[in-house]
Amino acid sequence: MMKTAKHWGKLLPMAAVFTGLTLSAAGSLAQDKTDHPNVTPGELAYKGAPVMEEKVKRVITPGAPDMTQAEFDVATKLYFERCAGCHGVLRKGATGKPLTPDITQERGTEFLKALINFGSPAGMPNWGTSGEFTDEQIDIMARFLQHEPPEPPEWGMAEMKETWKVLVPVEDRPSKKQHKYDIDNIFAVTLRDSGEVALIDGDSKEIINIIKTGYAVHISRASHSGRYVYTIGRDAKVDMIDLYMNPPQVVATIKIGLEARSVETSKYKGYEDQIAIAGAYWPPQYVLMDGPTLEPKKIVSTRGMTVDTQEYHPEPRVAAIVASHEHPDFIVNVKETGKILLVDYSNLDALDVTTLDAARYLHDGGWDSTKRYFLTAANQSNKIAVVDSKDRKVVALVDATKIPHPGRGANIDDPEYGPVWVTSALGNENMTFIGTDPKRHKQHAWQVVRTLKAQGGGSLFVKTHPKSKNLWVDNTLHPQASVSQSIAVYDVDNLDAGYEVLPIAEWADVGEGPARVVQPEYNKAGDEVWFSVWNGKDQTSAIVVVDDKTRKLKKVIKDERLITPTGKFNVYNTRKDIY
């Protein structure tokens, strides 16, 4: 329920106390709230929307304060950069509450200015007192929010084809690799704030090439063959990198919308590398493309009814997409409606889409160890949906603790319960273990069999490897530096013994900055774990490589070109869905 002005009036003086705190500390007070769970600058940076470069039409709303066109343009840019990731492009609410004129006009300009300036204990960042917004920008935003939200332009086939470029035709690409690197042990590392991806050789730890991509690449996906890496930026730009070239280069590119998060390629036998898919946040849609060239073939909207209240939602964003190993299907998570789509790509001229009901708000997930069952977080519903990709149905909705955030999750052979899949959480310190073997351990299948405590909330990723006896968990968005700058590791054979903490950021020795440790990722052999030490854009960042068996520091990769490294994707593990 939206808080009343009277209620906020009690909170705002309290918010003023936080003006001496970092945004990270203020955000930590929201862990048990629902407005912006565990919001910190890191999460906003990690999840926030990119700059909306396309012009949107100015909207003038009765009862709202006057604005000039110049002020409207400033506010639109700020909103899409800072606010849309939580409140939605249309301000209907998502992680954050709705900000529609019926609510904002009732609150009034002065109230909104105070809220934007000071934030709140419920998780609203203190944009003013933190120095992020000037007084003028706060005033502009407070007035802007009282007008009807401007709807960004749609993005159809004409717009996509205008951006589509094949830089190196298929026939002109090399027939075999032109360098000495083991392609399967290359890491694609997101350099978030520079809009680039670093390709790093997992053997020598040398940077092979820095490639200009879309802004804040969310994921990199290797094709089934491993030859190509597909990246997608939050500005919805897809880049296709040919790893055979020396050095690897972008050979095709396309922009599939204005904001996006997901890309994948076909893996089913007989269709390997043939079809690519990308999902957009705005417009809410996905597009099927020719795998080798990225030529757009078919666009499908995801607008529709929610799974619970059966109400129409105008902005159901496409979250995670995975490729089925059982059928020629892409499994597509539709965030706000809580629906999972099985998109049969065997005939694009007669597309067959099966809709499965899950729960809101669908986010990310991964495969069990057999690669038959897809487990995915409906994080605001505190559920894990389990999809049987062979029988093409949802087999369970498993309760999980507040805001599960698995990344792809981790598969281990639990000494007591057999095969399990693990997720950590943003909203609390719990790691949830779910049984995944309905044949040999039927009594534990799709049940929470174990809950362990991590260092705290704010976790983004858990990770292990079939050859490893370690289970790693980050706490990237935890407000306490000693936690966000370290990693916890468990012995899979002795989980009840608790975790060991490794000082990853200390080992990196990057100097000043938040130095958050994010996303453990294994090398091809499964004997090294790589961690990003994610610092500010103008600060030193690093990649830290740890020996998985000894848990000792093996290598620190530093280079002035490694600007804000976040996600890392080993080609072999990504294409084989190993985690």
Side-chain angles (χ1 to χ4, degrees):
M1 181 178 294
M2 193 67 184
K3 295 175 175 62
T4 64
K6 180 179 179 182
H7 180 73
W8 279 116
K10 295 178 181 178
L11 293 180
L12 287 172
M14 186 178 178
V17 176
F18 306 145
T19 59
L21 300 177
T22 64
L23 270 176
S24 195
S28 71
L29 297 168
Q31 285 194 0
D32 294 322
K33 305 296 182 181
T34 58
D35 293 63
H36 298 74
N38 204 37
V39 170
T40 66
E43 183 177 5
L44 290 167
Y46 195 81
K47 292 171 61 179
V51 178
M52 189 71 70
E53 296 178 350
E54 287 71 18
K55 292 292 183 180
V56 295
K57 185 178 180 180
R58 180 185 174 198
V59 178
I60 301 175
T61 304
D66 289 340
M67 295 190 74
T68 66
Q69 182 64 54
E71 289 174 330
F72 179 84
D73 292 341
V74 168
T76 299
K77 181 176 184 291
L78 286 173
Y79 182 82
F80 285 124
E81 284 181 332
R82 302 293 191 180
C83 313
C86 279
H87 297 282
V89 170
L90 301 181
R91 307 212 304 255
K92 299 287 186 180
T95 305
K97 293 293 186 181
L99 293 173
T100 48
D102 59 318
I103 298 169
T104 54
Q105 285 190 23
E106 180 183 348
R107 303 298 185 265
T109 302
E110 293 306 312
F111 166 81
L112 293 171
K113 285 169 63 175
L115 184 60
I116 297 167
N117 188 37
F118 293 113
S120 82
M124 176 73 178
N126 53 327
W127 294 114
T129 57
S130 69
E132 293 287 336
F133 285 5
T134 65
D135 289 344
E136 182 182 10
Q137 289 172 327
I138 290 170
D139 177 68
I140 290 172
M141 287 297 295
R143 287 182 283 131
F144 170 78
L145 293 176
Q146 297 174 68
H147 291 266
E148 289 287 342
E151 186 167 322
E154 298 295 322
W155 196 265
M157 187 61 75
E159 289 80 8
M160 287 188 197
K161 286 200 169 181
E162 189 173 330
T163 68
W164 171 53
K165 297 176 183 176
V166 178
L167 304 175
V168 181
V170 174
E171 60 271 19
D172 293 339
R173 298 172 194 171
S175 58
K176 59 183 180 180
K177 69 174 186 173
Q178 305 294 297
H179 50 71
K180 60 183 174 64
Y181 302 108
D182 177 2
I183 284 176
D184 270 345
N185 204 29
I186 290 175
F187 288 75
V189 180
T190 296
L191 306 181
R192 189 193 184 283
D193 291 343
S194 65
E196 296 171 320
V197 163
L199 298 178
I200 302 180
D201 175 29
D203 296 325
S204 68
K205 315 298 188 288
E206 296 175 350
I207 295 176
I208 300 169
N209 199 16
I210 303 287
I211 296 176
K212 198 70 181 174
T213 59
Y215 167 77
V217 163
H218 189 63
I219 57 172
S220 297
R221 286 287 171 258
S223 64
H224 183 274
S225 66
R227 172 173 183 169
Y228 297 110
V229 168
Y230 297 77
T231 69
I232 189 161
R234 296 174 188 232
D235 55 0
K237 185 173 181 282
V238 179
D239 290 298
M240 179 183 180
I241 301 167
D242 186 354
L243 297 181
Y244 275 15
M245 298 175 71
N246 188 20
Q249 297 287 350
V250 173
V251 293
T253 185
I254 190 171
K255 188 171 168 62
I256 60 98
L258 302 180
E259 187 185 354
R261 295 294 187 276
S262 51
V263 66
E264 181 63 289
T265 61
S266 52
K267 294 183 176 179
Y268 187 66
K269 186 176 181 180
Y271 294 90
E272 298 95 330
D273 296 3
Q274 289 187 14
I275 308 293
I277 183 174
Y281 267 27
W282 187 269
Q285 61 192 27
Y286 58 89
V287 57
L288 295 155
M289 300 165 283
D290 176 62
T293 66
L294 297 183
E295 180 183 3
K297 297 293 187 179
K298 186 172 289 289
I299 304 169
V300 183
S301 173
T302 55
R303 291 178 171 103
M305 302 299 179
T306 60
V307 70
D308 44 13
T309 59
Q310 299 289 295
E311 295 176 283
Y312 177 76
H313 200 293
E315 193 188 348
R317 301 175 286 183
V318 177
I321 302 176
V322 296
S324 172
H325 301 269
E326 300 283 353
H327 298 282
D329 286 340
F330 290 120
I331 302 177
V332 178
N333 279 353
V334 185
K335 197 176 188 79
E336 278 74 15
T337 57
K339 295 180 179 180
I340 299 173
L341 310 180
L342 306 181
V343 181
D344 182 346
Y345 52 75
S346 61
N347 185 354
L348 298 188
D349 293 326
L351 197 66
D352 184 15
V353 180
T354 299
T355 302
L356 306 178
D357 288 351
R360 299 197 287 177
Y361 292 81
L362 291 166
H363 193 55
D364 54 6
W367 295 103
D368 79 308
S369 58
T370 70
K371 300 178 181 59
R372 172 174 175 172
Y373 298 98
F374 175 59
L375 294 93
T376 184
N379 54 22
Q380 287 300 308
S381 298
N382 301 322
K383 304 273 187 190
I384 300 294
V386 183
V387 177
D388 181 342
S389 68
K390 183 175 182 179
D391 291 344
R392 306 179 86 241
K393 63 182 182 180
V394 172
V395 295
L397 285 173
V398 184
D399 291 329
T401 50
K402 189 170 179 58
I403 320 176
H405 193 285
R408 287 296 181 104
N411 290 297
I412 68 171
D413 194 5
D414 188 286
E416 185 174 352
Y417 301 106
V420 301
W421 179 87
V422 186
T423 178
S424 55
L426 277 169
N428 61 48
E429 72 276 19
N430 289 341
M431 297 175 64
T432 302
F433 291 60
I434 299 171
T436 61
D437 185 1
K439 290 185 177 180
R440 293 175 297 146
H441 298 81
K442 186 176 181 179
Q443 72 275 27
H444 302 313
W446 321 133
Q447 305 291 323
V448 176
V449 297
R450 187 190 294 271
T451 302
L452 295 182
K453 302 295 184 184
Q455 293 191 80
S459 175
L460 291 175
F461 299 99
V462 287
K463 182 68 69 171
T464 189
H465 189 278
K467 297 180 181 178
S468 173
K469 292 298 182 181
N470 288 322
L471 175 65
W472 306 83
V473 56
D474 66 23
N475 290 98
T476 311
L477 305 179
H478 195 280
Q480 186 175 332
S482 62
V483 177
S484 65
Q485 295 180 0
S486 62
I487 199 79
V489 54
Y490 298 78
D491 181 347
V492 169
D493 291 332
N494 191 13
L495 292 165
D496 292 329
Y499 54 79
E500 179 184 2
V501 176
L502 303 185
I504 301 297
E506 180 183 322
W507 288 348
D509 190 24
V510 293
E512 293 184 353
R516 298 180 185 89
V517 175
V518 61
Q519 200 202 34
E521 174 71 333
Y522 277 85
N523 64 342
K524 173 186 174 182
D527 58 10
E528 293 177 353
V529 193
W530 292 36
F531 302 92
S532 296
V533 180
W534 172 24
N535 231 343
K537 185 175 182 179
D538 298 322
Q539 297 164 321
T540 302
S541 293
I543 304 293
V544 172
V545 182
V546 174
D547 185 293
D548 182 68
K549 185 175 182 180
T550 65
R551 301 181 180 177
K552 302 297 184 184
L553 175 64
K554 190 169 184 178
K555 176 76 173 179
V556 176
I557 305 173
K558 285 185 183 177
D559 191 292
E560 62 182 9
R561 297 172 293 171
L562 290 179
I563 299 170
T564 59
T566 52
K568 299 165 299 304
F569 304 90
N570 175 268
V571 169
Y572 184 80
N573 294 333
T574 302
R575 73 185 184 90
K576 293 291 187 179
D577 288 319
I578 295 174
Y579 32 85

